Amino acid sequence: MEKQAKIIDGRILSTKIREKLKKEATKFEKKNKRPIGIAVVLVGEDPASQTYVKNKVKACEECGIKSFVIMRPAETSQDELDQIIRDLNESIEVDGILTQLPLPKHLDENHVLDLIDPKKDVDGFHIQNAGKLFVGQDSLVPCTPAGIVELIKSTGKRMEGKHAVIIGRSNIVGKPIAMLLLAQNCTVTICHSRTKNLARVTKRADILVAAIGRREFVTGGMIKRGAVVIDVGINRHEGKLYGDVNYDQASKIASHITPVPGGVGPMTITMLMSNTIKAAQATLETPQK
Ligand code: NAD
């Protein structure tokens, strides 16, 4: 009988981590007489963004974190959005701030991300946190890459010295996961849309991370036998969700694989909760003005 890869179940791992996070959040609340708080700013009516925000609010409830959802219409001006962020930066109830991306076209995403107080930047997208990650200093790390490291750790496989190949070089996934895997002493290769002979590179990967945004792009022939395959992709097609990896083919070759849905997605939100608790705890170390 053909061997099947072990499923790396992001839901089960998330539940375990969220139980621990809830204890930490409760401890914080008892000590500080206020709950940990996160503000989620949603501009516009994008249905996928609305679903993501709903899932984040649900995770907050599970972890004992208070969520403030700030919804504004798509026509919101840059000045109005900037003021919202400035107010949240000052709020003593809010430990973490995130703006749900993508923002409507007329708003400057980079400007908004860099306006968020880096200490409250629970998405880890502020240039200061990105810089800290790059030089290996403790920082708020982007949630999806942070979750990927936990998923790989959960396989029990050593990362040190392993060849990790990442397909995708975005600031949200590709680049930060490269830095995190480098910090785990992997040998890291980043591939992208201009990479030549992609399959030849991916076939050498002990750990393969696919963050492309193309349905079932990675086929069985691109995977080394026994590899750990992490599928970051979320591709909607005819009402169904697909990853960037052809699961049926990959699961016959890989040793471990994340499913879509139920792999990277739940861990991303769990890491957001973890970052929010970390940000709140850090405010205790640097007393408020
Ligand atoms: P992006 O569009 O910013 O980046 C995609 C990357 O894929 C680019 O760097 C590009 O160079 C590379 N690419 C495109 N075509 C390629 C090709 N033919 N060969 C090799 N590389 C190619 O996307 P992103 O924000 O990094 O997201 C990637 C995917 O992950 C999307 O499906 C997104 O929805 C998903 N995602 C999931 C989560 C989660 O929580 N599960 C979080 C973030 C992103």
Side-chain angles (χ1 to χ4, degrees), residues 218-246:
V218 177
T219 55
M222 295 169 74
I223 299 168
K224 178 177 172 179
R225 188 155 293 283
V228 173
V229 176
I230 306 291
D231 189 351
V232 187
I234 302 176
N235 306 290
R236 288 183 171 78
H237 179 70
E238 294 176 351
K240 250 188 92 180
L241 281 190
Y242 293 83
D244 286 344
V245 177
N246 183 315

Side-chain angles (χ1 to χ4, degrees), residues 52 143-145 166-174 190-195 198 210-215 217 222 231-236 242-244 260 263-269:
Y52 292 141
C143 304
T144 302
I166 298 146
I167 320 177
R169 57 174 162 182
S170 71
N171 291 334
I172 293 174
V173 190
I190 306 177
C191 300
H192 47 80
S193 51
R194 313 286 166 88
T195 298
L198 181 65
I212 314 155
R214 283 175 165 228
R215 176 168 54 101
F217 179 88
M222 295 169 74
D231 189 351
V232 187
I234 302 176
N235 306 290
R236 288 183 171 78
Y242 293 83
D244 286 344
V260 176
V264 174
M267 280 303 288
T268 295
I269 301 186

Side-chain angles (χ1 to χ4, degrees), residues 5-6 8 152 155 157 162-163 165 202-209 220 222-230 250-258:
K6 288 199 177 114
I8 313 174
I152 300 171
T155 65
K157 286 202 158 192
K162 296 287 167 62
H163 187 193
V165 174
T202 59
K203 253 209 119 108
R204 291 173 48 218
D206 303 305
I207 298 166
L208 181 62
V209 180
M222 295 169 74
I223 299 168
K224 178 177 172 179
R225 188 155 293 283
V228 173
V229 176
I230 306 291
S251 61
K252 293 186 177 79
I253 297 160
S255 69
H256 296 77
I257 186 167
T258 56

Side-chain angles (χ1 to χ4, degrees), residues 11 62 104 153 157 198 238 270:
R11 289 196 180 113
E62 230 179 275
K153 279 186 184 165
K157 286 202 158 192
L198 181 65
E238 294 176 351
T270 299

